[in-house]
Amino acid sequence: MSEQATLGTAVVTGASAGLGKIYADRLARRGYDLLLVARRGDRLDEVAASLRAEHGVKVQTLVADLGAAADLERVAQVVATDPAITLLVNNAGTSTLAPVAQTSNAQMQQMLDVNIVALARLSHAVLPAFKARNRGTLVNIGSVLGFHTLPISSIYSGTKAFVVAFTRGLQDEVGGTGVKVQLVLPAATATDIWELSGVPMSNLAEGTIMAAEHCVDAALAGLDLGEPITLPSVNDAALLATFVDAGAKLFGASQNGKPAARYSVTS
Ligand SMILES: NC(=O)c1ccc[n+]([C@@H]2O[C@H](COP(=O)([O-])OP(=O)(O)OC[C@H]3O[C@@H](n4cnc5c(N)ncnc54)[C@H](OP(=O)(O)O)[C@@H]3O)[C@@H](O)[C@H]2O)c1
């Protein structure tokens, strides 16, 4: 069997633009066949045609609104049952950056539905199949705002904090198996998400924005290195270890069964 045939199919959500479109390109270059998911079918068709022509891989598209329950379920059924799928990149995401009081209910719901519900459901759908085959890779795209919150990012950060906690739990679940789960936490990266969020990139400090190609290439390099958590723009890798260690220590310190002394609770 050729190497290409053994790689199988990579599913990339949010492949019509931004990081997902670049993931699709890089995975096609590696020899994966692709299943590309997003709402804008015309864009997916363009991406698919160019990847077929350039890399000679099979590319299917699936037009779906991952914020809509019926569409999400349609995608979930595919990832749960197609035995060719070996990699799922849960990349689709959406952001409104504004104080909660200036965020509509629809905008909030969209973030919850796409960033949390869809990512969780598709992870939930694909993992049993990966575990049964003892093979497969799940990549969940979070954000550095998953462990830091700005006054305009309460909802977005909350959704990305879910991605961090959920994906770290999944990593423990697949420990000792042939299944890999990578958590990718990009910082500001040049994509349409900023304009869509209401905060154009021109508002960001100079030198803080990564090229989208660099972000995906670093994330894939992290995957190749076997990193469970990849922070494409963070040089000091020890900071992550300190953060994870502090969380574990804080949890450990909470397993105490009685109020802390400073609260002076006596009865
Ligand atoms: N760019 C950054 O600075 C940055 C930083 C940290 C994390 N991230 C994360 O990286 C991921 C990719 O974001 P990006 O920057 O590449 O954003 P983007 O350029 O806006 O692309 C978002 C992608 O998600 C798809 N999408 C959005 N809502 C969808 C829905 N309801 N159903 C199906 N697909 C949907 C979009 O496709 P359609 O519109 O065609 O549906 C598009 O392909 C997101 O999870 C984001 O939170 C980005």
Side-chain angles (χ1 to χ4, degrees):
M1 221 188 306
S2 71
E3 193 198 352
Q4 188 158 316
T6 64
L7 282 177
T9 300
V11 180
V12 181
T13 68
S16 61
L19 300 181
K21 185 175 167 183
I22 294 162
Y23 261 109
D25 173 72
R26 299 309 196 250
L27 295 172
R29 273 191 207 189
R30 288 181 176 215
Y32 282 92
D33 292 326
L34 293 169
L35 174 58
L36 307 179
V37 182
R39 291 168 301 184
R40 287 171 291 179
D42 52 342
R43 289 218 181 192
L44 286 182
D45 288 344
E46 278 171 32
V47 174
S50 105
L51 294 181
R52 280 186 207 111
E54 203 173 330
H55 304 294
V57 294
K58 289 184 207 145
V59 187
Q60 299 165 265
T61 62
L62 187 48
V63 176
D65 179 351
L66 295 173
D71 278 15
L72 173 60
E73 209 40 43
R74 210 158 37 85
V75 180
Q77 288 310 317
V78 173
V79 302
T81 57
D82 182 346
I85 293 170
T86 53
L87 172 59
L88 167 63
V89 184
N90 268 322
N91 162 79
T94 185
S95 172
T96 296
L97 293 175
V100 171
Q102 287 154 40
T103 304
S104 72
N105 189 36
Q107 288 168 322
M108 177 170 71
Q109 198 61 52
Q110 186 75 355
M111 284 186 269
L112 299 174
D113 287 343
V114 179
N115 301 0
I116 296 181
V117 176
L119 179 138
R121 175 63 185 118
L122 296 183
S123 301
H124 173 264
V126 86
L127 276 175
F130 283 174
K131 278 184 167 174
R133 288 179 229 133
N134 199 30
R135 178 191 184 202
T137 302
L138 172 66
V139 177
N140 282 346
I141 309 295
S143 166
V144 291
L145 285 175
F147 51 72
H148 185 73
T149 309
L150 306 169
I152 56 168
S153 77
S154 306
I155 302 165
Y156 181 74
S157 285
T159 67
K160 293 300 184 176
F162 173 87
V163 177
V164 171
F166 177 69
T167 308
R168 289 186 59 204
L170 296 182
Q171 290 171 341
D172 288 343
E173 288 185 28
V174 301
T177 76
V179 180
K180 289 183 211 153
V181 177
Q182 184 198 24
L183 171 63
V184 177
L185 304 174
T189 306
T191 71
D192 297 344
I193 202 169
W194 289 96
E195 201 68 42
L196 294 168
S197 76
V199 177
M201 275 193 301
S202 54
N203 287 27
L204 303 184
E206 214 185 302
T208 59
I209 308 168
M210 187 180 283
E213 290 80 3
H214 288 168
C215 180
V216 173
D217 288 337
L220 285 170
L223 182 66
D224 294 341
L225 288 168
E227 285 183 352
I229 304 177
T230 296
L231 287 145
S233 58
V234 173
N235 273 303
D236 183 357
L239 285 173
L240 176 62
T242 305
F243 173 77
V244 169
D245 187 50
K249 281 191 179 131
L250 192 53
F251 175 76
S254 76
Q255 303 306 293
N256 192 26
K258 48 187 185 298
R262 69 183 171 283
Y263 301 125
S264 306
V265 178
T266 50
S267 58

